[in-house]
Amino acid sequence: MKHKEYASGVLTGVLVVALAAGGVKFVQQRQYNGVLSDSSHVQKIEYLEKMIDQEYLGEVDNDEMAEGVYAGLVYGLGDVYSRYYTADEYAQETASTDGAYAGIGVSIQKNKNGGVQIAECYEGGPGADAGLQTGDVITAINDTDVTDMELSDVVSLIRENKDKTIVLTVFRENEEKSREISVDVTDVELPSVFGEMLDKKTGYIQITQFTGVTPQQYKDMFTELKDKGMERLVIDLRDNPGGLLTSVCDILREILPEGLIVYTEDKYGNREEETCDGKHQLDMPLAVLVNENSASASEIFAGAVQDHGVGTIVGTTTYGKGVVQELRQLSDGSAVKLTVSNYYTPNGNSINKVGIKPDVEVKLASELLNKDEITHEEDNQFQKALDVI
């Protein structure tokens, strides 16, 4: 299974990482039976496996060591965008990129005192509707104690109850006793598009990432704002790390004239193009906000708008990720994400390690840099975007 985003021996991840770095160091040196050939990677792994079997003090989990080998192999590429996923990690990754999953509409994190804490409770989700709140600590699910569970195991426990109602034991801040809250486990969409009318004519749409459900969320929000009288638009891609190539291209087909959106080239020079038929070209002034954390698919968006001249890019130079990854699932449920091609803007520009330079460069005011929340009124980048439209 492919998805674009933008041996007999086993080793622990630590040993594999060390191998990838060019050497293995031991606290104590000792001669082992057998010959180690520098040219044989398999023999070296078998040699290390034997050493672990004979001398390692602790218990050995062969499955975990094997996962370390696979992860270390990809790590050895030295590419920050390529990685190996276990089956559980792949399930979480696809839920994130797809933007939809079986769950209760909350984001959770480990709680230092045990259990899992709700980091975010999505508006309109089953969790919020049932009365869960950000900050709540879940200690049990259907009477199963989760205080010492790994986060992935808690997620799996929730998902295996799809289309059922689960009972959560919840502790809330400043309350001595726990409460039990019943929540439906359903298909949930992660919100990635937010919008509002700023005045009678100006619409604002923020896209936080490009997932599988983002294009429809964008279309719904655009239609809602257009029905309210929108005649000009600000799209905010600041701090958007990117996402799916298909997602950003589907949204750009609602904006661009006929022509090229983006093209990619692999190591063999094979070129693939994404194009727009121009049937839904945006017919109003547009400003696109970007910053140094706008990356990947966000840069495809900004580059296409800039090259076609259909809007003004405002903010600071973007991150500079001009490469595409392919996510491929393996037969055992694990997966590998590899960098497989470069991408280029419609005018043939590679932005890798360079970024997109805004048409109007505006740095965020220094007094706002450390604020958790910034209002539209005090956001000088946002105010400049309003000026240009």
Side-chain angles (χ1 to χ4, degrees), residues 346-382:
N347 288 347
N349 298 317
S350 170
I351 58 87
N352 199 41
K353 300 181 180 179
V354 177
I356 300 287
K357 184 177 181 180
D359 301 307
V360 179
E361 188 165 5
V362 184
K363 293 183 178 180
L364 190 65
S366 58
E367 64 269 19
L368 303 177
L369 293 176
N370 296 319
K371 292 192 66 173
D372 293 331
E373 294 186 10
I374 304 172
T375 65
H376 287 325
E377 289 72 22
E378 60 187 355
D379 185 344
N380 62 304
Q381 291 179 325
F382 175 80

Side-chain angles (χ1 to χ4, degrees), residues 210-212 214-216 218-219 244-255 261 274-276 280 301:
F210 292 96
T211 70
T214 304
Q216 189 59 53
Y218 172 84
K219 292 175 187 178
L244 299 178
L245 177 64
T246 52
S247 176
V248 66
C249 289
D250 283 348
I251 295 176
L252 285 168
R253 291 187 179 99
E254 302 294 314
I255 296 173
I261 298 174
E274 295 286 346
T275 59
C276 177
H280 304 284
F301 191 109

Side-chain angles (χ1 to χ4, degrees), residues 28 79 84-85 94 97 106 109 127-128 158 174 176 187 207 238 249 265-266 283 357 366 378 386:
Q28 182 180 14
D79 177 16
Y84 168 81
Y85 296 90
T94 53
T97 56
V106 300
Q109 61 190 19
I158 293 173
N174 299 323
E176 293 184 5
D187 287 326
I207 305 175
R238 290 176 295 179
C249 289
E265 288 186 357
D266 65 15
D283 59 353
K357 184 177 181 180
S366 58
E378 60 187 355
L386 291 183

Side-chain angles (χ1 to χ4, degrees), residues 81-127:
Y81 304 122
S82 297
R83 65 163 293 183
Y84 168 81
Y85 296 90
T86 65
D88 285 344
E89 290 170 341
Y90 176 67
Q92 294 182 43
E93 175 71 6
T94 53
S96 175
T97 56
D98 291 344
Y101 64 98
I104 59 175
V106 300
S107 172
I108 59 175
Q109 61 190 19
K110 287 288 287 182
N111 182 52
K112 62 182 179 180
N113 296 320
V116 295
Q117 186 171 34
I118 297 178
E120 188 171 0
C121 198
Y122 300 119
E123 184 179 352

Side-chain angles (χ1 to χ4, degrees), residues 11 19 36-48:
L11 279 176
L19 279 172
L36 178 61
S37 169
D38 290 337
S39 63
S40 173
H41 299 301
V42 174
Q43 187 177 4
K44 192 170 187 176
I45 290 174
E46 291 175 344
Y47 178 84
L48 288 168

Side-chain angles (χ1 to χ4, degrees), residues 259-275:
L260 191 60
I261 298 174
V262 65
Y263 68 91
T264 63
E265 288 186 357
D266 65 15
K267 64 191 295 184
Y268 304 105
N270 297 316
R271 172 167 166 158
E272 293 186 10
E273 297 183 350
E274 295 286 346
T275 59

